[in-house]
Amino acid sequence: MSVHACSRGRLPRLFAGLLAATLLGLGATARAEVKIGYSDWPGWLAWAIAEQQGYFKKHGASVRLVWFPTYTDSIAALSAGQVDGNCQTWSDTMAPLAKGVPLKVVLVNDNSFGNDAVMANPKFKSLKDLKGKTVALEEFSVSHFLLGIGLAREGMTPRDVKIVNLSAGDAAAAFLSGRVDAATVWNPWVNKIELSGKGRKLFSSADAPCLVPDLLVVQEKSLAANRKDFVGMVKAWYDVEAFIRNKPEEAVKIMAKIVEMKPEEYKVFLPGTRFFGEKENLEAFGAASQPRSLLNVAPAVLKFLEDNKLIEGKPDFAKALDASLVKEVAASRK
């Protein structure tokens, strides 16, 4: 994955491949602090704000952030127990849960709110107009999932279009050069296509809020052994959310530096990312009747995985969700 988020949201393929020897060594060192994997997505890069602003120390959390240039490696590292926690999507957490990996979801960092979109030539007025047309996207990724959700609302399926399997960057390039009729991509390519004047959003994650949640997922045994650190992380995250809300320019500078982008380039990510504070997290861990609830979203995510044969077995959604940390923090703030 390049520094420009080209592999964000890729769904795991049975966790094939071993990590580099340096990553394998993570689990062997003294565990004086919890190791948290993170990669290139605004809701996860924002943890760097907690580190740089001293929020971890403020809340008594001993945390070491471990950067993964390749997002899928971070998923594999968590499942193998080589990190204590990882930043990953709800969809990417399903397969390891179905395999019995003991993981707990303890925090929602954000929802994509427009950063992922189906981009098409302005002559197309709705997704219905794409029937029989070519759509470039990264197959089995969040982009594929989003397209399927949008088409379903029109009584269609991905089989009603001609999918061209390309990475997000290549999909955007194919669209801009006129080789495909549409492309499902995420920022910064959404913004680049809009600025080109060659395409507009037909459907985005803003039209399907809460379907693309980005999470902090931890090893169950690590949560039991290091609960104080994870409670501190939840408190630190709420400080991060407030910092982004109140000082967006400073937040962008910190986040952009990590991925070697200019702040003015990186700031396009913020409007399309709905960062979750305390209120939103309590709703996310609520009953399935709550629109923002992870339980509400889970069936649609699972159907996509099953339809594309990306999962074996049935994950226990309710068992995987641990609301106790966000509830403990909420109670302590009253």
Side-chain angles (χ1 to χ4, degrees):
M1 173 169 147
S2 78
V3 294
H4 293 166
C6 67
S7 294
R8 179 258 176 182
R10 186 190 298 274
L11 296 165
R13 291 176 178 270
L14 304 180
F15 310 111
L18 293 174
L19 294 175
T22 53
L23 296 181
L24 287 172
L26 287 175
T29 58
R31 304 183 69 81
E33 54 198 353
V34 292
K35 299 179 180 67
I36 306 297
Y38 76 130
S39 46
D40 195 352
W41 178 251
W44 303 333
L45 277 179
W47 282 116
I49 296 172
E51 187 175 59
Q52 293 189 28
Q53 295 298 310
Y55 296 151
F56 290 143
K57 184 177 181 180
K58 171 185 173 183
H59 296 294
S62 182
V63 177
R64 176 153 71 90
L65 298 177
V66 181
W67 176 254
F68 284 85
T70 302
Y71 168 60
T72 46
D73 283 350
S74 74
I75 300 169
L78 178 65
S79 295
Q82 293 159 344
V83 290
D84 299 284
N86 188 50
C87 298
Q88 56 192 61
T89 65
W90 196 199
S91 54
D92 287 331
T93 305
M94 298 288 182
L97 288 175
K99 288 178 174 294
V101 179
L103 302 177
K104 294 291 185 182
V105 178
V106 298
L107 181 75
V108 179
N109 297 98
D110 71 275
N111 275 181
S112 176
F113 195 72
N115 271 343
D116 299 86
V118 182
M119 307 298 294
N121 187 295
K123 70 180 181 181
F124 298 114
K125 304 304 179 186
S126 73
L127 290 178
K128 284 184 177 180
D129 297 333
L130 293 182
K131 187 169 185 178
K133 304 299 182 180
T134 52
V135 182
L137 55 77
E138 188 168 323
E139 205 168 22
F140 310 133
S141 71
V142 165
S143 296
H144 198 161
F145 174 55
L146 183 69
L147 176 67
I149 293 296
L151 290 174
R153 293 187 180 183
E154 301 289 353
M156 301 166 65
T157 75
R159 290 186 292 275
D160 290 312
V161 300
K162 298 175 182 176
I163 290 178
V164 179
N165 184 22
L166 296 171
S167 69
D170 289 343
F175 173 76
L176 290 171
S177 66
R179 290 185 285 126
V180 294
D181 299 300
T184 307
V185 293
W186 51 83
N187 264 321
W189 296 287
V190 169
N191 182 253
K192 289 179 179 179
I193 291 173
E194 287 182 319
L195 290 176
S196 74
K198 295 181 179 181
R200 67 182 187 90
K201 294 178 182 178
L202 285 186
F203 186 77
S204 82
S205 51
D207 301 306
C210 309
L211 282 176
V212 188
D214 300 300
L215 318 170
L216 175 62
V217 185
V218 305
Q219 281 276 345
E220 187 175 325
K221 64 181 181 180
S222 182
L223 176 59
N226 305 285
R227 183 180 177 86
K228 178 177 175 289
D229 294 311
F230 289 114
V231 169
M233 283 193 73
V234 172
K235 292 178 180 179
W237 177 257
Y238 294 159
D239 284 353
V240 168
E241 187 274 332
F243 185 91
I244 295 170
R245 186 162 24 90
N246 297 322
K247 300 179 179 179
E249 296 298 325
E250 290 185 42
V252 164
K253 287 179 182 178
I254 294 171
M255 297 158 74
K257 186 176 181 180
I258 296 173
V259 289
E260 299 175 8
M261 291 179 70
K262 295 178 180 178
E264 57 267 27
E265 294 175 332
Y266 197 82
K267 68 181 180 181
V268 302
F269 287 95
L270 293 195
T273 309
R274 178 168 283 174
F275 295 93
F276 273 34
E278 181 181 291
K279 178 177 179 291
E280 294 83 4
N281 263 280
L282 289 170
E283 292 174 356
F285 284 93
S289 57
Q290 286 269 12
R292 285 179 173 158
S293 167
L294 294 171
L295 288 174
N296 180 287
V297 174
V301 175
L302 180 59
K303 185 178 185 303
F304 172 79
L305 295 171
E306 290 177 334
D307 288 350
N308 289 282
K309 297 179 173 57
L310 294 170
I311 194 168
E312 297 177 8
K314 295 274 188 181
D316 188 336
F317 306 132
K319 184 179 179 182
L321 300 177
D322 190 334
S324 67
L325 280 74
V326 297
K327 288 181 177 179
E328 178 179 330
V329 172
S332 71
R333 290 153 72 100
K334 287 183 179 178

